[in-house]
Amino acid sequence: MTATERALSRRTVVGYALGSLGTGGFATLPGLVLVFYMTDTLGIGALLAGVLVTVAKIWDVIIDPVIGARSDSALRRSGSRRGFMRAGALLLPLFFVLTFAVPAGLPAATSGVWVLLAFVLTATAFSLFQVPYIALPAEIADGYDQRTRLLTWRVVVLTFSILLFGAGGPMLRNLGGDNEYLGYLLMAIVAGVVIGIGMLLASRVAPRGVVVAAPAEPSGGIRRHYAAGIAVLRRSQPFRALLATFMLQGLATGVMLAGANYVAVWVLHSEDALTLLFVALIAPALFCAPLWGVIARRIGKERGFVLASMLFGVAALALTAMLWAPGSWVYLPVALAGAGYAGMQSLPMAMLPDVISHDAATHGDGQAGTFSGVWTAGETIGMALGATALTLMLALTGYTESVGTTSVVQGEAAVAGIVLSFSVLPAALIALSLLTLRRYALRRGDIDRSDIEAEALA
């Protein structure tokens, strides 16, 4: 720890980490079951299901920079981002339940419109929380190592949340028995409440009444908010490199997440395999997230990020063998992917506040909300395109949708498309992300100098 770093209290670390109970739940459960819900319960075609999810995510991308800039303005006026976070925490459970409350018997087109509108509202509520939540580390943690500590424990809770929702969500859904509509509704009610509680608890960590370096509220309406987001992209090369890397990796993990249910049902021929896949993925991640923090302190976050990404990519590529020999062996490479995934989450999230503090020291103002708005929009694009890529593959390989418990048989081409979407495609995307990561130039010395300069200006 450098001389300029203030030690984080345990309350701050724990409180901030609890927010990932909500963010992990929302990132995991819709990504895991929403497309499958539309294709295999509501009878919506795979391509249309992908379009609906993408449209909802595009809306998310549109509003994230606006929320980020207005969060900065709220911070300037009141000294806190807490109001945005609480609004999102209270609204999300209601809209989340509505997304999975489509009545049985509706035409597929009507069901699709229902899901689209409800999920757009849910995504809006999530952004109200998520954007200021991501901005907080640059404001509550000083220094290279303190931010690593804060974000490491956030990712420990995040991985637990993914396990909880990824394994527990389908189990709750199955309690509906043959009534899949009831099962999804029960899952949504329980999950929505837990997500909201996690978000509310984390909102208490947001500082109140603190005087910070925040830009004046932009004039000229929404257009100026987007201009502010474009400006930080233009002036911060480290931010562009880190964001491009995170987007590509979000695309890789998004396509695997959306494909897991299909792998369990049509490749491993067991709905219980979905729970086992998530246990295999997340159990190693729970233990490895602190380990990546230790590695980062020794060799740097940047090198640790490269190692984590390579581990994930190689493990994903190994899953191609499911084309010829599907079986229980798949849980081993999935576990290795989970170990890499822990680093792929914790390290870039710990690098983001470094980028923000470096920019503030270089340009003399604090725009954490603007940065986090652009970051969240980029992450959303990656995850949304992951689901879209899967549905395109399903459509191209002749996947057959179904309504309720109707029995269908998938062709060999459709099964092969599922496997390739779960293995080769994410491995290729990880390889591309390593090329963009090479352009990230900030190191520990740069960050420590930035923090010293920022403290001198304060």
Side-chain angles (χ1 to χ4, degrees):
M1 185 184 302
T2 69
T4 61
E5 292 183 27
R6 293 171 296 177
L8 287 166
S9 69
R10 181 176 299 178
R11 178 182 178 276
T12 298
V13 174
V14 172
Y16 186 76
L18 285 174
S20 284
L21 187 63
T23 61
F26 182 76
T28 300
L29 205 50
L32 177 66
V33 303
L34 186 56
V35 172
F36 193 79
Y37 171 59
M38 287 191 282
T39 61
D40 284 46
T41 296
L42 303 181
I44 300 171
L47 190 57
L48 178 57
V51 170
L52 293 175
V53 172
T54 302
V55 169
K57 293 299 185 179
I58 289 173
W59 168 251
D60 207 1
V61 171
I62 291 172
I63 63 172
D64 283 345
V66 177
I67 291 175
R70 293 190 174 180
S71 174
D72 280 337
S73 298
L75 180 65
R76 178 185 59 83
R77 292 192 305 270
S78 66
S80 181
R81 303 182 190 272
R82 190 174 294 195
F84 278 79
M85 297 173 70
R86 283 183 171 172
L90 293 172
L91 290 172
L92 187 141
L94 173 64
F95 297 140
F96 189 76
V97 171
L98 189 62
T99 302
F100 291 96
V102 179
L106 289 182
T110 305
S111 298
V113 172
W114 178 301
V115 171
L116 173 63
L117 295 177
F119 195 56
V120 163
L121 292 172
T122 308
T124 302
F126 179 69
S127 291
L128 288 173
F129 173 85
Q130 171 80 341
V131 173
Y133 177 67
I134 290 177
L136 288 183
E139 298 164 358
I140 62 178
D142 294 330
Y144 187 91
D145 289 328
Q146 286 294 286
R147 293 172 189 137
T148 302
R149 178 189 171 211
L150 180 68
L151 273 300
T152 293
W153 287 107
R154 180 208 161 183
V155 172
V156 170
V157 176
L158 177 68
T159 52
F160 171 76
S161 177
I162 293 171
L163 177 61
L164 177 67
F165 288 92
M171 291 175 64
L172 286 169
R173 177 189 62 186
N174 293 340
L175 292 178
D178 291 337
N179 189 339
E180 293 185 0
Y181 292 88
L182 176 61
Y184 276 109
L185 181 59
L186 176 63
M187 176 201 74
I189 292 172
V190 175
V193 170
V194 175
I195 289 171
I197 290 173
M199 291 178 169
L200 276 176
L201 291 174
S203 69
R204 300 180 64 184
V205 177
R208 288 191 297 181
V210 177
V211 178
V212 295
E217 185 172 1
S219 60
I222 292 176
R223 183 179 60 83
R224 294 299 298 270
H225 295 315
Y226 290 115
I230 293 172
V232 298
L233 273 173
R234 285 179 174 173
R235 76 191 189 203
S236 178
Q237 189 279 331
F239 183 56
R240 293 196 302 273
L242 188 62
L243 179 61
T245 302
F246 201 67
M247 286 176 63
L248 286 168
Q249 295 192 351
L251 177 55
T253 55
V255 72
M256 291 187 75
L257 182 63
N261 215 332
Y262 295 91
V263 169
V265 173
W266 299 112
V267 180
L268 301 178
H269 303 292
S270 170
E271 291 194 4
D272 293 336
L274 180 60
T275 298
L276 295 176
L277 283 171
F278 265 83
V279 172
L281 178 71
I282 302 306
L286 280 170
F287 295 102
C288 290
L291 178 61
W292 287 114
V294 173
I295 292 173
R297 286 191 291 273
R298 293 189 176 183
I299 67 173
K301 303 173 195 178
E302 309 77 24
R303 292 178 180 175
F305 191 12
V306 170
L307 291 177
S309 303
M310 292 177 64
L311 177 59
F312 185 94
V314 170
L317 188 61
L319 292 167
T320 310
M322 285 192 295
L323 283 170
W324 304 281
S328 58
W329 64 267
V330 303
Y331 300 118
L332 176 58
V334 168
L336 293 175
Y341 177 76
M344 287 165 53
Q345 287 292 303
S346 62
L347 298 178
M349 291 302 298
M351 293 157 70
L352 176 60
D354 290 340
V355 170
I356 295 172
S357 68
H358 178 265
D359 180 81
T362 304
H363 296 91
D365 61 7
Q367 289 185 272
T370 300
F371 273 95
S372 64
V374 175
W375 179 270
T376 303
E379 181 182 13
T380 299
I381 291 172
M383 294 297 290
L385 291 180
T388 303
L390 173 68
T391 56
L392 283 172
M393 181 70 80
L394 294 178
L396 289 172
T397 54
Y399 185 85
T400 304
E401 63 274 5
S402 60
V403 178
T405 57
T406 303
S407 178
V408 298
V409 177
Q410 303 298 342
E412 291 183 4
V415 175
I418 292 169
V419 172
L420 294 176
S421 298
F422 200 71
S423 56
V424 174
L425 180 56
L429 291 166
I430 293 298
L432 286 175
S433 75
L434 291 174
L435 297 178
T436 60
L437 183 55
R438 290 181 61 183
R439 297 180 59 81
Y440 182 84
L442 292 182
R443 297 296 182 264
R444 181 192 297 269
D446 301 311
I447 304 307
D448 288 341
R449 283 193 298 273
S450 296
D451 289 334
I452 292 172
E453 292 169 6
E455 186 174 271
L457 291 172

